[in-house]
Amino acid sequence: MLEFLRGRDVLVAGWGVSGRSLIEPLRDIGANPVVTDAGAKALAEAAELGLEVATCAQLEVGASDDPAGLGRFALVITSPGWRPDSPVLAAAVTEGIPVWGDVEFAWWVDQARIYGPVRKWLVVTGTNGKTTTTQMTHAILRAAGIASVACGNIGLPILDALRRNPGPQVLAVELSSFQLHWAPSVRPEAGVVLNVAEDHLDWHGGLDAYAAAKARALFGRVGVVGLDDPVAASLARRAKARRVIGFRVGVPADGELGVVDGKLLDRAFTKAAILAEVGDISPPGPAGVADALAASALTRAIDVAPQFVREGLMEHKVGPHRSAFVGEVGGVEFVDDSKATNPHAARSSILAHPQVVWIAGGQLKGASVEDLVEEVAERLVGAVLIGADAPVIAAALARHAPEVPVVEVRSGDDALVRDDPASAEKADAVMAQAVRTAAALASRGDTVLLAPAAASLDMFTDYTHRGRSFADAVHALEDGDIGRHL
């Protein structure tokens, strides 16, 4: 499948983490990588490494027979964030040049045995819970003594995982909707769609296209769907897997995994096998249990014994910025769920606490907060809003929770530049003010919860920067900051 690239030029569109991971594999198969990126700094960095570079402008205007244009390329491999209507990609399609994502390329590199025997792929996708489920899956595989690695959207590019020596036998692969859109050939040993809620609608153009991208995780040998989520459950009809099973945070039917009397139970791969105790799952709560069931289904699909599922789930601990307890000040708990980057994730986070001062805001990416605010209104004792779409959330609160005090903390700038250190300082100052304001709205027994329901990139470097900024602000509080009630 990759022989057509030998001796040919391949365009790497996007000089990010995934773009960098493509260079050596392309060279290993005899192709010549050429890098393009919208940023001059990125192109300069690639050029300093001895790589040939081309500006997007050159590629967009070059004719098919122009040596400077797209016609010279046998393939375009795009970073996942590039939209299909990006001018370079659209021009490539017009010229009849195939466009792959880095995950698609990694799949064919693995199938071609460039770096050893073909691996088993266990694919995790969904609007929320992907990283936790991927980490749980990896923990179970480790407990079973299976050489494995967590990769993909979780941080480590799949190609880097494949090139490890000694190499893994199994890949626990987190995939975003972007990555799945650009990877139509991937056929995992098992794949799960945890849930589907409004997110990235601006990129995909609508919920149906977003869900269709997620459904590609169900095109392998075993497909797994979250039955408590109606959209995810409906994707069973789109699945091309040889077998489709489901999981629910409740009593499972035959062919499902679920919960009975505080125990995770497998009724899909055996008549009935106890896998773990609910009390041993981290993070606690229904969302964490659902993720554990999904990880259990993926690993049971490749015959991992129940005892190793139990051991792996007991060993797993939730990562930072995922409903992480930061501290207590004056009887008020502060919780960092900066990873709640959409309304669906924020919903689970808020519903885990009885009384919440909610810190929210950022980029909603086309998602609606109306249903979220209406559902959680009774738990809110205050809201502090930051970021580009703070007014949208404020309007929803005014409609559905008019008695909840709402404070918007503005940056003072129309836009912050993420790569500018001065902008990072301003973002941290906004978060510090938001935390002080939330503390003033809180009373003993309340929880101040950072669950933004939105992406961070309007103000912060990423969600981890946003979470660290929150934690730093909390650690600067004193008891006297609590309950001043603005």
Side-chain angles (χ1 to χ4, degrees):
M1 180 63 183
L2 298 178
E3 285 298 317
F4 77 104
L5 299 179
R6 188 174 300 278
R8 300 290 304 278
D9 292 336
V10 174
L11 183 65
V12 175
W15 186 241
V17 173
S18 62
R20 292 178 179 86
S21 75
L22 291 163
I23 303 304
E24 291 308 316
L26 282 169
R27 288 171 169 166
D28 287 343
I29 63 173
N32 173 47
V34 179
V35 176
T36 189
D37 193 281
K41 182 179 178 182
L43 290 181
E45 180 184 309
E48 286 177 6
L49 295 174
L51 292 161
E52 184 180 350
V53 301
T55 67
C56 292
Q58 288 174 317
L59 297 167
E60 291 163 21
V61 301
S64 61
D65 58 352
D66 183 346
L70 281 165
R72 60 185 283 205
F73 296 107
L75 175 68
V76 176
I77 307 180
T78 178
S79 294
W82 284 44
R83 291 165 52 137
D85 59 1
S86 298
V88 168
L89 304 187
V93 172
T94 300
E95 295 288 345
I97 301 167
V99 179
W100 293 2
D102 64 295
V103 174
E104 177 81 358
F105 179 68
W107 173 259
W108 287 114
V109 165
D110 191 29
Q111 297 302 302
R113 296 175 169 82
I114 303 298
Y115 300 116
V118 175
R119 280 72 171 186
K120 292 181 178 179
W121 291 41
L122 302 181
V123 167
V124 179
T125 195
T127 303
N128 301 301
K130 294 187 295 295
T131 298
T132 299
T133 302
T134 304
Q135 291 171 332
M136 287 176 167
T137 301
H138 184 38
I140 294 169
L141 293 169
R142 285 200 312 267
I146 297 172
S148 62
V149 65
C151 56
N153 195 55
I154 201 169
L156 177 70
I158 300 170
L159 287 164
D160 288 353
L162 293 175
R163 294 175 65 225
R164 286 188 169 185
N165 188 16
Q169 298 171 274
V170 180
L171 305 179
V173 187
E174 177 185 330
L175 293 182
S176 70
S177 59
F178 305 157
Q179 291 170 311
L180 284 161
H181 173 89
W182 293 117
S185 301
V186 171
R187 299 292 184 269
E189 191 71 12
V192 62
V193 179
L194 302 168
N195 43 60
V196 179
E198 288 187 345
D199 199 14
H200 303 302
L201 302 190
D202 50 350
W203 196 98
H204 289 281
L207 183 60
D208 188 65
Y210 173 60
K214 294 290 190 187
R216 286 183 172 175
L218 307 176
F219 286 9
R221 186 176 69 84
V222 177
V224 184
V225 296
L227 297 172
D228 293 327
D229 183 276
V231 181
S234 73
L235 294 183
R237 295 193 296 271
R238 299 190 185 188
K240 297 181 181 179
R242 286 179 244 167
R243 184 184 181 196
V244 179
I245 66 168
F247 67 91
R248 66 177 76 243
V249 184
V251 178
D254 288 341
E256 298 177 359
L257 286 81
V259 179
V260 176
D261 296 330
K263 295 177 173 58
L264 277 63
L265 190 68
D266 172 14
R267 298 190 66 189
F269 299 99
T270 186
K271 185 174 181 179
I274 296 174
L275 302 176
E277 300 282 340
V278 167
D280 291 332
I281 303 302
S282 173
V289 172
D291 295 343
L293 289 165
S296 300
L298 292 178
T299 51
R300 292 288 289 140
I302 60 169
D303 299 323
V304 173
Q307 71 188 75
F308 299 124
V309 174
R310 182 181 305 110
E311 290 177 16
L313 292 176
M314 290 180 67
E315 291 172 4
H316 173 266
K317 301 301 176 188
V318 69
H321 315 301
R322 294 171 174 82
S323 296
F325 175 75
V326 174
E328 181 179 323
V329 181
V332 173
E333 292 189 347
F334 291 79
V335 175
D336 166 17
D337 197 8
S338 183
K339 190 64 170 66
T341 56
N342 55 67
H344 188 269
R347 171 189 177 276
S348 298
S349 193
I350 295 169
L351 293 177
H353 306 280
Q355 296 182 129
V356 172
V357 179
W358 183 29
I359 299 180
Q363 296 169 308
L364 287 170
K365 302 167 293 184
S368 171
V369 294
E370 296 293 327
D371 291 345
L372 164 67
V373 172
E374 185 174 13
E375 183 174 2
V376 303
E378 292 184 357
R379 297 190 181 232
L380 300 180
V381 296
V384 181
L385 307 178
I386 62 174
D389 286 329
V392 178
I393 302 174
L397 285 161
R399 283 189 287 273
H400 302 294
E403 297 180 359
V404 173
V406 177
V407 180
E408 291 187 52
V409 179
R410 309 302 297 173
S411 69
D413 295 60
D414 291 334
L416 296 175
V417 181
R418 289 190 295 122
D419 294 331
D420 179 3
S423 289
E425 291 181 7
K426 291 176 183 177
D428 291 338
V430 170
M431 180 61 78
Q433 181 59 46
V435 169
R436 288 193 297 270
T437 302
L441 293 172
S443 301
R444 181 176 292 274
D446 293 343
T447 299
V448 172
L449 174 66
L450 174 66
S456 59
L457 301 185
D458 57 330
M459 292 175 61
F460 300 92
T461 304
D462 50 27
Y463 76 86
T464 63
H465 173 203
R466 181 168 61 186
R468 290 195 306 272
S469 184
F470 173 79
D472 289 345
V474 171
H475 294 146
L477 292 174
E478 299 177 352
D479 286 356
D481 294 318
I482 302 299
R484 293 187 287 110
H485 298 298
L486 302 174

